[in-house]
């Protein structure tokens, strides 16, 4: 498993909640297990108690994205470091599931966790994955969607650091809203200009004409 993959764990967890819309999909142990994806062995450890614990970690991960999005990179790093200290992992070389053309293991880095519960295991991987992404690409590559009311987290992998939205859908919605706002402004300016010209003509005296 590539280290870059692990950073998606943090994004998936943060985006289970949409605060502005008062939506939260993290309401059951089944929802917790779905977050693990292919890591079915880890998912089997989840219990009802992990729902509350996952929400706590989610709030802390969102705080990392919020700080980064607001340009406070030092705060983002401090918050992420606190998670790394609380939920440690052990990097190991692994070759499972990946074979080259000759049938030999394709060695790669794997994050081995030793959690006391499912939340600790997920938090450890999410925090470490996010740390790898931050140190590799920069804290400004962690963002929150700029299309209100959406505030979903995303990882900017664009070549020019230009990403502002969590999805194409939000980008389209924001562009349409901006276009309509420009049209309304143009219409208001046109109406104001026309009214000003009309008032100017009415105030002209017959002698001036």
């Amino acid at each position: 498993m590539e280290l870059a993959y692990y950073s998606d764990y943090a994004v998936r967890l943060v985006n289970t909640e949409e605060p502005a819309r008062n939506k939260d999909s993290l309401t059951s142990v089944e929802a917790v297990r779905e977050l693990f994806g292919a890591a079915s062995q880890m998912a089997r450890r989840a219990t009802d108690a992990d729902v509350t614990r996952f929400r706590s970690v989610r709030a802390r991960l969102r705080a990392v994205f919020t700080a980064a999005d607001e340009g406070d990179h030092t705060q983002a790093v401090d918050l992420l470091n606190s998670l790394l200290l609380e939920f440690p992992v052990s990097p190991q070389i692994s070759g499972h599931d990946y074979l080259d053309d000759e049938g030999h293991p394709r060695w790669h880095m794997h994050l081995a966790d030793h959690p006391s519960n499912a939340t600790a295991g997920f938090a450890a991987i999410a925090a470490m994955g996010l740390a790898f992404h931050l140190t590799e690409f920069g804290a400004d590559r962690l963002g929150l969607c700029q299309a209100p009311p959406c505030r979903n987290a995303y990882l900017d992998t664009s070549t020019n650091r230009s990403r502002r939205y969590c999805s194409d859908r939000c980008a389209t919605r924001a562009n349409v809203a901006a276009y309509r706002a420009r049209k309304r402004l143009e219409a208001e300016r046109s109406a104001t200009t026309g009214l000003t010209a009309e008032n100017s003509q009415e105030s002209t005296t017959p002698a001036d004409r």
Side-chain angles (χ1 to χ4, degrees), residues 26 28-36 43 46-47 50-51 54 118 122:
L26 192 57
S28 65
V29 66
E30 287 76 18
V32 168
R33 288 170 178 159
E34 287 178 4
L35 286 169
F36 284 95
T47 66
D50 284 298
V51 176
F54 260 68
F122 191 98

Side-chain angles (χ1 to χ4, degrees), residues 166-195:
C166 68
S167 64
D168 290 339
R169 179 181 180 183
C170 276
T172 299
R173 184 161 54 83
N175 289 333
V176 169
Y179 173 79
R180 289 175 177 171
R182 287 196 302 270
K183 288 299 182 182
R184 283 196 301 269
L185 182 59
E186 290 173 3
E188 290 171 0
R189 286 176 176 173
S190 177
T192 301
T193 300
L195 182 60

